Amino acid sequence: SSFDKVGIIGLGLMGHGIAQTAATAAAQSNLHSSIIAYESDESFLTRGKDRIQSSIDKLVSKGKFSNEDAEAIMGKIEFTTDRVALSDADFIVEAIIENMDLKKTLYSELGKECKPSTIFASNTSSLSITEMALASSRPQNFVGVHFFNPVQIMKLVEVIRTDHTDPEVFDKTMAWVGQIGKVGVTCRDTPGFIVNRLLVPNLMQAILMLERGDATTKDIDISMQLGAGHPMGPLHLADYVGLDTCLYIMQGWVKDFPGEGAFVVPKILEEKVAKGELGRKSGKGFYVWDGEKRGDPA
């Protein structure tokens, strides 16, 4: 990889983990000279920095890193609210909120602000890479890099190409994913890429099964754990992901791909979200939750 300077836009749940992962590779193998971590708002920047620091501190307390390692990793990251710092980055990963209008506006501005060779990579989990690529005015230099949460632990990254992506840009991105210690898989720009395209309709089928009264929450989940070897059942997983997130993804797909029979929104999912029952994050979904601890079916 020839990415000397890497930019990360957005230091929320995903972005802070991507910044930490890239900075760790930079500190351990001198992969990058610097990681530019950008947030438009000072309070979000501070929160992102604190998240990274606390994650690294945990690894130090577990003996995974020395204090010197921790300092070297943090030393590789330049935290900024000034977007000019990104203008000469070689590779920029965007991890802002899942809103197409916001992303398209950002990319059309970045397309003008960054050097012509900068490669743009969106960490979206469900939006069209092609649409963002065209907004950037440099679709040949545009890919998707979908990391999984928590980024520091999950090995998989889906690397997405569009019909416009330069093959060399794609190969460089795949190489970078390997160099930061992840496993890259290749996918065309299809709704939900590989994992969510298979996973989200599966979650919807479990919810529909519950809605029809075919089986109970507990029995659906136990069946997929013991019968299919899944670490957690689909209703447990939907609660874990967030019922609002599941609904948002599926509503978007139903709107954009009305002819696709696998894309369907269960009524009870809409009802739960309307009541504020969002799963783990709200304390109640298909199960009752106490923080991270799952209780009985709701």
Side-chain angles (χ1 to χ4, degrees):
S1 167
S2 53
F3 303 148
D4 181 52
K5 198 175 193 182
V6 171
I8 312 289
I9 299 180
L11 295 180
L13 188 65
M14 303 300 289
H16 90 276
I18 300 168
Q20 182 185 327
T21 302
T24 303
Q28 290 177 341
S29 59
N30 215 16
L31 188 60
H32 312 299
S33 65
S34 63
I35 311 297
I36 312 297
Y38 168 82
E39 272 282 8
S40 56
D41 181 283
E42 190 70 53
S43 65
F44 288 139
L45 188 74
T46 304
R47 197 181 308 164
K49 185 178 184 176
D50 291 347
R51 265 178 152 161
I52 296 170
Q53 187 68 65
S54 123
S55 173
I56 291 171
D57 289 346
K58 266 189 202 140
L59 292 165
V60 171
S61 70
K62 287 179 181 168
K64 306 264 188 197
F65 289 145
S66 66
N67 287 321
E68 290 75 24
D69 293 335
E71 274 175 36
I73 294 166
M74 287 306 283
K76 281 285 182 184
I77 309 175
E78 184 188 317
F79 294 92
T80 184
T81 54
D82 182 3
R83 214 160 69 195
V84 172
L86 295 168
S87 61
D88 65 341
D90 299 298
F91 186 73
I92 294 177
V93 180
E94 164 270 310
I96 68 167
I97 190 166
E98 288 283 69
N99 177 306
M100 182 57 96
D101 291 336
L102 283 178
K103 287 183 191 276
K104 280 164 73 172
T105 301
L106 172 68
Y107 282 121
S108 85
E109 291 167 0
L110 287 174
K112 299 182 188 91
E113 294 165 1
C114 296
K115 66 182 183 181
S117 61
T118 304
I119 295 168
F120 298 149
S122 178
N123 177 59
T124 184
S125 61
S126 67
L127 299 177
S128 164
I129 301 294
T130 305
E131 214 176 312
M132 290 182 260
L134 293 171
S136 76
S137 304
R138 56 174 83 180
Q140 73 286 357
N141 276 17
F142 205 108
V143 289
V145 285
H146 179 221
F147 287 79
F148 290 79
N149 180 42
V151 175
Q152 294 91 328
I153 293 165
M154 300 288 273
K155 296 291 275 186
L156 188 71
V157 179
E158 293 173 319
V159 184
I160 316 305
R161 67 170 83 212
T162 75
D163 293 341
H164 309 281
T165 308
D166 181 327
E168 196 183 325
V169 164
F170 185 81
D171 292 345
K172 272 186 176 177
T173 305
M174 278 294 277
W176 175 75
V177 165
Q179 286 160 342
I180 61 166
K182 301 298 184 191
V183 176
V185 291
T186 306
C187 187
R188 286 193 320 119
D189 187 19
T190 185
F193 317 134
I194 298 171
V195 173
N196 282 335
R197 180 65 181 266
L198 295 172
L199 182 65
V200 178
N202 173 260
L203 302 185
M204 297 303 135
Q205 287 302 315
I207 296 168
L208 287 168
M209 191 169 244
L210 185 68
E211 186 171 280
R212 291 191 302 264
D214 296 343
T216 64
T217 299
K218 209 167 190 173
D219 285 352
I220 290 168
D221 278 353
I222 286 172
S223 297
M224 292 311 287
Q225 281 180 276
L226 302 185
H230 292 188
M232 64 175 80
L235 298 168
H236 179 170
L237 181 58
D239 266 9
Y240 195 83
V241 168
L243 301 188
D244 52 340
T245 303
C246 294
L247 179 63
Y248 174 80
I249 290 171
M250 192 48 85
Q251 280 177 334
W253 289 353
V254 166
K255 180 171 154 284
D256 293 341
F257 307 95
E260 174 54 77
F263 297 162
V264 56
V265 178
K267 275 199 174 57
I268 59 168
L269 180 60
E270 290 179 313
E271 287 164 5
K272 279 191 172 292
V273 172
K275 285 192 287 191
E277 295 176 10
L278 310 179
R280 173 184 58 136
K281 64 175 118 178
S282 71
K284 187 181 178 187
F286 292 110
Y287 291 89
V288 176
W289 290 80
D290 177 12
E292 293 285 314
K293 194 167 176 287
R294 195 201 83 187
D296 290 327

PDB file of all heavy atoms in Angstrom, residues 156-189:
ATOM      1  N   LEU A 156     -13.538  -8.950   9.718  1.00  0.00           N
ATOM      2  CA  LEU A 156     -14.015  -8.823   8.337  1.00  0.00           C
ATOM      3  C   LEU A 156     -14.140  -7.368   7.871  1.00  0.00           C
ATOM      4  O   LEU A 156     -14.584  -6.503   8.615  1.00  0.00           O
ATOM      5  CB  LEU A 156     -15.386  -9.497   8.206  1.00  0.00           C
ATOM      6  CG  LEU A 156     -15.925  -9.612   6.773  1.00  0.00           C
ATOM      7  CD1 LEU A 156     -15.129 -10.634   5.967  1.00  0.00           C
ATOM      8  CD2 LEU A 156     -17.406  -9.993   6.775  1.00  0.00           C
ATOM      9  N   VAL A 157     -13.763  -7.126   6.603  1.00  0.00           N
ATOM     10  CA  VAL A 157     -14.060  -5.863   5.925  1.00  0.00           C
ATOM     11  C   VAL A 157     -14.552  -6.201   4.518  1.00  0.00           C
ATOM     12  O   VAL A 157     -13.857  -6.884   3.763  1.00  0.00           O
ATOM     13  CB  VAL A 157     -12.818  -4.936   5.821  1.00  0.00           C
ATOM     14  CG1 VAL A 157     -13.184  -3.646   5.082  1.00  0.00           C
ATOM     15  CG2 VAL A 157     -12.254  -4.607   7.202  1.00  0.00           C
ATOM     16  N   GLU A 158     -15.757  -5.737   4.190  1.00  0.00           N
ATOM     17  CA  GLU A 158     -16.266  -5.903   2.830  1.00  0.00           C
ATOM     18  C   GLU A 158     -15.730  -4.749   1.986  1.00  0.00           C
ATOM     19  O   GLU A 158     -15.946  -3.577   2.334  1.00  0.00           O
ATOM     20  CB  GLU A 158     -17.801  -5.874   2.828  1.00  0.00           C
ATOM     21  CG  GLU A 158     -18.417  -7.066   3.542  1.00  0.00           C
ATOM     22  CD  GLU A 158     -19.929  -6.949   3.694  1.00  0.00           C
ATOM     23  OE1 GLU A 158     -20.420  -5.839   3.997  1.00  0.00           O
ATOM     24  OE2 GLU A 158     -20.613  -7.974   3.535  1.00  0.00           O
ATOM     25  N   VAL A 159     -15.014  -5.068   0.914  1.00  0.00           N
ATOM     26  CA  VAL A 159     -14.453  -4.033   0.033  1.00  0.00           C
ATOM     27  C   VAL A 159     -15.306  -4.015  -1.239  1.00  0.00           C
ATOM     28  O   VAL A 159     -15.409  -5.017  -1.944  1.00  0.00           O
ATOM     29  CB  VAL A 159     -12.970  -4.299  -0.278  1.00  0.00           C
ATOM     30  CG1 VAL A 159     -12.385  -3.153  -1.107  1.00  0.00           C
ATOM     31  CG2 VAL A 159     -12.172  -4.457   1.028  1.00  0.00           C
ATOM     32  N   ILE A 160     -15.917  -2.865  -1.490  1.00  0.00           N
ATOM     33  CA  ILE A 160     -16.942  -2.769  -2.535  1.00  0.00           C
ATOM     34  C   ILE A 160     -16.425  -2.002  -3.744  1.00  0.00           C
ATOM     35  O   ILE A 160     -15.905  -0.897  -3.601  1.00  0.00           O
ATOM     36  CB  ILE A 160     -18.210  -2.053  -1.990  1.00  0.00           C
ATOM     37  CG1 ILE A 160     -18.587  -2.558  -0.591  1.00  0.00           C
ATOM     38  CG2 ILE A 160     -19.359  -2.176  -2.977  1.00  0.00           C
ATOM     39  CD1 ILE A 160     -18.781  -4.041  -0.443  1.00  0.00           C
ATOM     40  N   ARG A 161     -16.607  -2.597  -4.909  1.00  0.00           N
ATOM     41  CA  ARG A 161     -16.258  -1.903  -6.156  1.00  0.00           C
ATOM     42  C   ARG A 161     -17.530  -1.530  -6.898  1.00  0.00           C
ATOM     43  O   ARG A 161     -18.537  -2.234  -6.816  1.00  0.00           O
ATOM     44  CB  ARG A 161     -15.367  -2.789  -7.034  1.00  0.00           C
ATOM     45  CG  ARG A 161     -16.061  -4.017  -7.577  1.00  0.00           C
ATOM     46  CD  ARG A 161     -15.208  -4.718  -8.616  1.00  0.00           C
ATOM     47  NE  ARG A 161     -14.212  -5.595  -7.999  1.00  0.00           N
ATOM     48  CZ  ARG A 161     -13.023  -5.832  -8.520  1.00  0.00           C
ATOM     49  NH1 ARG A 161     -12.664  -5.282  -9.641  1.00  0.00           N
ATOM     50  NH2 ARG A 161     -12.171  -6.642  -7.908  1.00  0.00           N
ATOM     51  N   THR A 162     -17.472  -0.415  -7.626  1.00  0.00           N
ATOM     52  CA  THR A 162     -18.580  -0.051  -8.502  1.00  0.00           C
ATOM     53  C   THR A 162     -18.111  -0.277  -9.943  1.00  0.00           C
ATOM     54  O   THR A 162     -16.954  -0.632 -10.184  1.00  0.00           O
ATOM     55  CB  THR A 162     -18.986   1.433  -8.339  1.00  0.00           C
ATOM     56  OG1 THR A 162     -17.996   2.251  -8.978  1.00  0.00           O
ATOM     57  CG2 THR A 162     -19.102   1.825  -6.874  1.00  0.00           C
ATOM     58  N   ASP A 163     -18.987  -0.015 -10.900  1.00  0.00           N
ATOM     59  CA  ASP A 163     -18.612  -0.154 -12.310  1.00  0.00           C
ATOM     60  C   ASP A 163     -17.566   0.885 -12.706  1.00  0.00           C
ATOM     61  O   ASP A 163     -16.953   0.774 -13.762  1.00  0.00           O
ATOM     62  CB  ASP A 163     -19.853   0.004 -13.211  1.00  0.00           C
ATOM     63  CG  ASP A 163     -20.833  -1.151 -13.023  1.00  0.00           C
ATOM     64  OD1 ASP A 163     -20.411  -2.209 -12.500  1.00  0.00           O
ATOM     65  OD2 ASP A 163     -22.024  -0.993 -13.374  1.00  0.00           O
ATOM     66  N   HIS A 164     -17.382   1.909 -11.860  1.00  0.00           N
ATOM     67  CA  HIS A 164     -16.452   3.000 -12.183  1.00  0.00           C
ATOM     68  C   HIS A 164     -15.085   2.843 -11.513  1.00  0.00           C
ATOM     69  O   HIS A 164     -14.141   3.540 -11.867  1.00  0.00           O
ATOM     70  CB  HIS A 164     -17.048   4.342 -11.731  1.00  0.00           C
ATOM     71  CG  HIS A 164     -18.441   4.582 -12.212  1.00  0.00           C
ATOM     72  ND1 HIS A 164     -18.741   4.996 -13.493  1.00  0.00           N
ATOM     73  CD2 HIS A 164     -19.644   4.445 -11.585  1.00  0.00           C
ATOM     74  CE1 HIS A 164     -20.055   5.115 -13.629  1.00  0.00           C
ATOM     75  NE2 HIS A 164     -20.625   4.781 -12.489  1.00  0.00           N
ATOM     76  N   THR A 165     -14.984   1.974 -10.497  1.00  0.00           N
ATOM     77  CA  THR A 165     -13.757   1.883  -9.695  1.00  0.00           C
ATOM     78  C   THR A 165     -12.565   1.427 -10.535  1.00  0.00           C
ATOM     79  O   THR A 165     -12.639   0.399 -11.213  1.00  0.00           O
ATOM     80  CB  THR A 165     -13.939   0.911  -8.505  1.00  0.00           C
ATOM     81  OG1 THR A 165     -15.108   1.281  -7.774  1.00  0.00           O
ATOM     82  CG2 THR A 165     -12.735   0.949  -7.571  1.00  0.00           C
ATOM     83  N   ASP A 166     -11.475   2.182 -10.450  1.00  0.00           N
ATOM     84  CA  ASP A 166     -10.223   1.811 -11.120  1.00  0.00           C
ATOM     85  C   ASP A 166      -9.696   0.527 -10.450  1.00  0.00           C
ATOM     86  O   ASP A 166      -9.567   0.482  -9.225  1.00  0.00           O
ATOM     87  CB  ASP A 166      -9.219   2.959 -10.941  1.00  0.00           C
ATOM     88  CG  ASP A 166      -7.880   2.704 -11.603  1.00  0.00           C
ATOM     89  OD1 ASP A 166      -7.435   1.542 -11.665  1.00  0.00           O
ATOM     90  OD2 ASP A 166      -7.260   3.684 -12.040  1.00  0.00           O
ATOM     91  N   PRO A 167      -9.377  -0.535 -11.242  1.00  0.00           N
ATOM     92  CA  PRO A 167      -8.903  -1.795 -10.643  1.00  0.00           C
ATOM     93  C   PRO A 167      -7.685  -1.610  -9.733  1.00  0.00           C
ATOM     94  O   PRO A 167      -7.565  -2.287  -8.712  1.00  0.00           O
ATOM     95  CB  PRO A 167      -8.533  -2.658 -11.861  1.00  0.00           C
ATOM     96  CG  PRO A 167      -9.356  -2.111 -12.984  1.00  0.00           C
ATOM     97  CD  PRO A 167      -9.501  -0.635 -12.717  1.00  0.00           C
ATOM     98  N   GLU A 168      -6.821  -0.665 -10.064  1.00  0.00           N
ATOM     99  CA  GLU A 168      -5.623  -0.429  -9.245  1.00  0.00           C
ATOM    100  C   GLU A 168      -6.002   0.163  -7.879  1.00  0.00           C
ATOM    101  O   GLU A 168      -5.422  -0.185  -6.845  1.00  0.00           O
ATOM    102  CB  GLU A 168      -4.670   0.523  -9.984  1.00  0.00           C
ATOM    103  CG  GLU A 168      -3.266   0.521  -9.394  1.00  0.00           C
ATOM    104  CD  GLU A 168      -2.337   1.528 -10.079  1.00  0.00           C
ATOM    105  OE1 GLU A 168      -2.485   1.729 -11.305  1.00  0.00           O
ATOM    106  OE2 GLU A 168      -1.501   2.112  -9.381  1.00  0.00           O
ATOM    107  N   VAL A 169      -6.992   1.040  -7.897  1.00  0.00           N
ATOM    108  CA  VAL A 169      -7.505   1.637  -6.659  1.00  0.00           C
ATOM    109  C   VAL A 169      -8.102   0.536  -5.776  1.00  0.00           C
ATOM    110  O   VAL A 169      -7.863   0.480  -4.566  1.00  0.00           O
ATOM    111  CB  VAL A 169      -8.566   2.721  -6.983  1.00  0.00           C
ATOM    112  CG1 VAL A 169      -9.395   3.094  -5.752  1.00  0.00           C
ATOM    113  CG2 VAL A 169      -7.892   3.959  -7.566  1.00  0.00           C
ATOM    114  N   PHE A 170      -8.852  -0.359  -6.402  1.00  0.00           N
ATOM    115  CA  PHE A 170      -9.471  -1.464  -5.665  1.00  0.00           C
ATOM    116  C   PHE A 170      -8.395  -2.376  -5.062  1.00  0.00           C
ATOM    117  O   PHE A 170      -8.462  -2.742  -3.881  1.00  0.00           O
ATOM    118  CB  PHE A 170     -10.387  -2.274  -6.591  1.00  0.00           C
ATOM    119  CG  PHE A 170     -11.138  -3.339  -5.857  1.00  0.00           C
ATOM    120  CD1 PHE A 170     -12.289  -3.037  -5.144  1.00  0.00           C
ATOM    121  CD2 PHE A 170     -10.670  -4.642  -5.831  1.00  0.00           C
ATOM    122  CE1 PHE A 170     -12.963  -4.019  -4.421  1.00  0.00           C
ATOM    123  CE2 PHE A 170     -11.342  -5.623  -5.112  1.00  0.00           C
ATOM    124  CZ  PHE A 170     -12.494  -5.311  -4.418  1.00  0.00           C
ATOM    125  N   ASP A 171      -7.369  -2.730  -5.859  1.00  0.00           N
ATOM    126  CA  ASP A 171      -6.298  -3.618  -5.380  1.00  0.00           C
ATOM    127  C   ASP A 171      -5.523  -2.990  -4.228  1.00  0.00           C
ATOM    128  O   ASP A 171      -5.176  -3.665  -3.260  1.00  0.00           O
ATOM    129  CB  ASP A 171      -5.341  -3.972  -6.530  1.00  0.00           C
ATOM    130  CG  ASP A 171      -6.003  -4.864  -7.577  1.00  0.00           C
ATOM    131  OD1 ASP A 171      -7.075  -5.430  -7.281  1.00  0.00           O
ATOM    132  OD2 ASP A 171      -5.459  -4.979  -8.696  1.00  0.00           O
ATOM    133  N   LYS A 172      -5.273  -1.681  -4.322  1.00  0.00           N
ATOM    134  CA  LYS A 172      -4.559  -0.969  -3.246  1.00  0.00           C
ATOM    135  C   LYS A 172      -5.364  -1.007  -1.944  1.00  0.00           C
ATOM    136  O   LYS A 172      -4.815  -1.166  -0.856  1.00  0.00           O
ATOM    137  CB  LYS A 172      -4.361   0.509  -3.634  1.00  0.00           C
ATOM    138  CG  LYS A 172      -3.099   0.806  -4.420  1.00  0.00           C
ATOM    139  CD  LYS A 172      -3.001   2.318  -4.581  1.00  0.00           C
ATOM    140  CE  LYS A 172      -1.714   2.715  -5.280  1.00  0.00           C
ATOM    141  NZ  LYS A 172      -1.643   4.173  -5.494  1.00  0.00           N
ATOM    142  N   THR A 173      -6.691  -0.843  -2.102  1.00  0.00           N
ATOM    143  CA  THR A 173      -7.572  -0.850  -0.923  1.00  0.00           C
ATOM    144  C   THR A 173      -7.593  -2.235  -0.281  1.00  0.00           C
ATOM    145  O   THR A 173      -7.483  -2.360   0.949  1.00  0.00           O
ATOM    146  CB  THR A 173      -9.000  -0.411  -1.315  1.00  0.00           C
ATOM    147  OG1 THR A 173      -8.940   0.854  -1.971  1.00  0.00           O
ATOM    148  CG2 THR A 173      -9.885  -0.292  -0.091  1.00  0.00           C
ATOM    149  N   MET A 174      -7.704  -3.268  -1.102  1.00  0.00           N
ATOM    150  CA  MET A 174      -7.677  -4.646  -0.578  1.00  0.00           C
ATOM    151  C   MET A 174      -6.363  -4.924   0.145  1.00  0.00           C
ATOM    152  O   MET A 174      -6.350  -5.541   1.215  1.00  0.00           O
ATOM    153  CB  MET A 174      -7.857  -5.656  -1.720  1.00  0.00           C
ATOM    154  CG  MET A 174      -9.299  -5.878  -2.143  1.00  0.00           C
ATOM    155  SD  MET A 174     -10.346  -6.652  -0.880  1.00  0.00           S
ATOM    156  CE  MET A 174      -9.969  -8.389  -1.105  1.00  0.00           C
ATOM    157  N   ALA A 175      -5.265  -4.439  -0.418  1.00  0.00           N
ATOM    158  CA  ALA A 175      -3.947  -4.636   0.208  1.00  0.00           C
ATOM    159  C   ALA A 175      -3.902  -3.936   1.566  1.00  0.00           C
ATOM    160  O   ALA A 175      -3.423  -4.498   2.558  1.00  0.00           O
ATOM    161  CB  ALA A 175      -2.838  -4.113  -0.705  1.00  0.00           C
ATOM    162  N   TRP A 176      -4.423  -2.709   1.619  1.00  0.00           N
ATOM    163  CA  TRP A 176      -4.426  -1.934   2.874  1.00  0.00           C
ATOM    164  C   TRP A 176      -5.220  -2.650   3.963  1.00  0.00           C
ATOM    165  O   TRP A 176      -4.784  -2.725   5.116  1.00  0.00           O
ATOM    166  CB  TRP A 176      -5.011  -0.542   2.621  1.00  0.00           C
ATOM    167  CG  TRP A 176      -5.168   0.282   3.865  1.00  0.00           C
ATOM    168  CD1 TRP A 176      -4.173   0.906   4.568  1.00  0.00           C
ATOM    169  CD2 TRP A 176      -6.388   0.568   4.567  1.00  0.00           C
ATOM    170  NE1 TRP A 176      -4.709   1.565   5.663  1.00  0.00           N
ATOM    171  CE2 TRP A 176      -6.061   1.373   5.679  1.00  0.00           C
ATOM    172  CE3 TRP A 176      -7.724   0.233   4.351  1.00  0.00           C
ATOM    173  CZ2 TRP A 176      -7.020   1.843   6.581  1.00  0.00           C
ATOM    174  CZ3 TRP A 176      -8.678   0.690   5.248  1.00  0.00           C
ATOM    175  CH2 TRP A 176      -8.330   1.495   6.352  1.00  0.00           C
ATOM    176  N   VAL A 177      -6.372  -3.204   3.591  1.00  0.00           N
ATOM    177  CA  VAL A 177      -7.208  -3.932   4.553  1.00  0.00           C
ATOM    178  C   VAL A 177      -6.403  -5.074   5.197  1.00  0.00           C
ATOM    179  O   VAL A 177      -6.446  -5.273   6.414  1.00  0.00           O
ATOM    180  CB  VAL A 177      -8.500  -4.457   3.866  1.00  0.00           C
ATOM    181  CG1 VAL A 177      -9.198  -5.506   4.725  1.00  0.00           C
ATOM    182  CG2 VAL A 177      -9.447  -3.301   3.569  1.00  0.00           C
ATOM    183  N   GLY A 178      -5.635  -5.793   4.387  1.00  0.00           N
ATOM    184  CA  GLY A 178      -4.788  -6.863   4.915  1.00  0.00           C
ATOM    185  C   GLY A 178      -3.673  -6.324   5.804  1.00  0.00           C
ATOM    186  O   GLY A 178      -3.345  -6.911   6.843  1.00  0.00           O
ATOM    187  N   GLN A 179      -3.104  -5.187   5.411  1.00  0.00           N
ATOM    188  CA  GLN A 179      -1.985  -4.618   6.167  1.00  0.00           C
ATOM    189  C   GLN A 179      -2.393  -4.102   7.548  1.00  0.00           C
ATOM    190  O   GLN A 179      -1.568  -4.025   8.454  1.00  0.00           O
ATOM    191  CB  GLN A 179      -1.331  -3.484   5.353  1.00  0.00           C
ATOM    192  CG  GLN A 179      -0.511  -4.026   4.183  1.00  0.00           C
ATOM    193  CD  GLN A 179      -0.269  -2.969   3.115  1.00  0.00           C
ATOM    194  OE1 GLN A 179      -0.945  -1.946   3.057  1.00  0.00           O
ATOM    195  NE2 GLN A 179       0.691  -3.218   2.256  1.00  0.00           N
ATOM    196  N   ILE A 180      -3.672  -3.730   7.717  1.00  0.00           N
ATOM    197  CA  ILE A 180      -4.108  -3.290   9.054  1.00  0.00           C
ATOM    198  C   ILE A 180      -4.668  -4.470   9.865  1.00  0.00           C
ATOM    199  O   ILE A 180      -5.291  -4.290  10.907  1.00  0.00           O
ATOM    200  CB  ILE A 180      -5.132  -2.127   8.985  1.00  0.00           C
ATOM    201  CG1 ILE A 180      -6.411  -2.530   8.236  1.00  0.00           C
ATOM    202  CG2 ILE A 180      -4.500  -0.887   8.370  1.00  0.00           C
ATOM    203  CD1 ILE A 180      -7.566  -1.567   8.414  1.00  0.00           C
ATOM    204  N   GLY A 181      -4.448  -5.696   9.350  1.00  0.00           N
ATOM    205  CA  GLY A 181      -4.786  -6.895  10.121  1.00  0.00           C
ATOM    206  C   GLY A 181      -6.195  -7.421   9.942  1.00  0.00           C
ATOM    207  O   GLY A 181      -6.680  -8.213  10.752  1.00  0.00           O
ATOM    208  N   LYS A 182      -6.861  -6.979   8.873  1.00  0.00           N
ATOM    209  CA  LYS A 182      -8.233  -7.442   8.626  1.00  0.00           C
ATOM    210  C   LYS A 182      -8.272  -8.419   7.447  1.00  0.00           C
ATOM    211  O   LYS A 182      -7.311  -8.559   6.702  1.00  0.00           O
ATOM    212  CB  LYS A 182      -9.152  -6.246   8.330  1.00  0.00           C
ATOM    213  CG  LYS A 182      -9.216  -5.215   9.451  1.00  0.00           C
ATOM    214  CD  LYS A 182      -9.765  -5.789  10.737  1.00  0.00           C
ATOM    215  CE  LYS A 182      -9.911  -4.733  11.823  1.00  0.00           C
ATOM    216  NZ  LYS A 182     -10.192  -5.336  13.152  1.00  0.00           N
ATOM    217  N   VAL A 183      -9.417  -9.084   7.293  1.00  0.00           N
ATOM    218  CA  VAL A 183      -9.637  -9.999   6.167  1.00  0.00           C
ATOM    219  C   VAL A 183     -10.627  -9.326   5.219  1.00  0.00           C
ATOM    220  O   VAL A 183     -11.775  -9.060   5.599  1.00  0.00           O
ATOM    221  CB  VAL A 183     -10.203 -11.354   6.657  1.00  0.00           C
ATOM    222  CG1 VAL A 183     -10.519 -12.263   5.467  1.00  0.00           C
ATOM    223  CG2 VAL A 183      -9.214 -12.026   7.610  1.00  0.00           C
ATOM    224  N   GLY A 184     -10.169  -9.033   4.003  1.00  0.00           N
ATOM    225  CA  GLY A 184     -11.030  -8.363   3.038  1.00  0.00           C
ATOM    226  C   GLY A 184     -11.764  -9.352   2.151  1.00  0.00           C
ATOM    227  O   GLY A 184     -11.197 -10.369   1.738  1.00  0.00           O
ATOM    228  N   VAL A 185     -13.035  -9.075   1.881  1.00  0.00           N
ATOM    229  CA  VAL A 185     -13.795  -9.842   0.887  1.00  0.00           C
ATOM    230  C   VAL A 185     -14.298  -8.856  -0.162  1.00  0.00           C
ATOM    231  O   VAL A 185     -14.545  -7.689   0.137  1.00  0.00           O
ATOM    232  CB  VAL A 185     -14.979 -10.631   1.507  1.00  0.00           C
ATOM    233  CG1 VAL A 185     -14.478 -11.762   2.388  1.00  0.00           C
ATOM    234  CG2 VAL A 185     -15.909  -9.709   2.312  1.00  0.00           C
ATOM    235  N   THR A 186     -14.433  -9.336  -1.386  1.00  0.00           N
ATOM    236  CA  THR A 186     -14.798  -8.485  -2.512  1.00  0.00           C
ATOM    237  C   THR A 186     -16.277  -8.612  -2.825  1.00  0.00           C
ATOM    238  O   THR A 186     -16.811  -9.717  -2.839  1.00  0.00           O
ATOM    239  CB  THR A 186     -14.016  -8.957  -3.765  1.00  0.00           C
ATOM    240  OG1 THR A 186     -12.640  -8.968  -3.442  1.00  0.00           O
ATOM    241  CG2 THR A 186     -14.259  -8.050  -4.939  1.00  0.00           C
ATOM    242  N   CYS A 187     -16.909  -7.468  -3.091  1.00  0.00           N
ATOM    243  CA  CYS A 187     -18.327  -7.503  -3.458  1.00  0.00           C
ATOM    244  C   CYS A 187     -18.643  -6.362  -4.417  1.00  0.00           C
ATOM    245  O   CYS A 187     -18.045  -5.295  -4.321  1.00  0.00           O
ATOM    246  CB  CYS A 187     -19.186  -7.382  -2.198  1.00  0.00           C
ATOM    247  SG  CYS A 187     -20.948  -7.598  -2.491  1.00  0.00           S
ATOM    248  N   ARG A 188     -19.576  -6.628  -5.331  1.00  0.00           N
ATOM    249  CA  ARG A 188     -20.075  -5.544  -6.186  1.00  0.00           C
ATOM    250  C   ARG A 188     -20.981  -4.636  -5.351  1.00  0.00           C
ATOM    251  O   ARG A 188     -21.378  -4.996  -4.246  1.00  0.00           O
ATOM    252  CB  ARG A 188     -20.876  -6.131  -7.362  1.00  0.00           C
ATOM    253  CG  ARG A 188     -20.020  -6.768  -8.420  1.00  0.00           C
ATOM    254  CD  ARG A 188     -20.785  -7.047  -9.713  1.00  0.00           C
ATOM    255  NE  ARG A 188     -22.141  -7.542  -9.491  1.00  0.00           N
ATOM    256  CZ  ARG A 188     -23.249  -6.915  -9.904  1.00  0.00           C
ATOM    257  NH1 ARG A 188     -23.182  -5.790 -10.549  1.00  0.00           N
ATOM    258  NH2 ARG A 188     -24.439  -7.442  -9.674  1.00  0.00           N
ATOM    259  N   ASP A 189     -21.342  -3.495  -5.910  1.00  0.00           N
ATOM    260  CA  ASP A 189     -22.205  -2.551  -5.201  1.00  0.00           C
ATOM    261  C   ASP A 189     -23.663  -3.015  -5.275  1.00  0.00           C
ATOM    262  O   ASP A 189     -24.446  -2.555  -6.080  1.00  0.00           O
ATOM    263  CB  ASP A 189     -22.050  -1.156  -5.822  1.00  0.00           C
ATOM    264  CG  ASP A 189     -22.794  -0.088  -5.034  1.00  0.00           C
ATOM    265  OD1 ASP A 189     -23.113  -0.335  -3.852  1.00  0.00           O
ATOM    266  OD2 ASP A 189     -23.054   0.991  -5.602  1.00  0.00           O
TER     267      ASP A 189
END
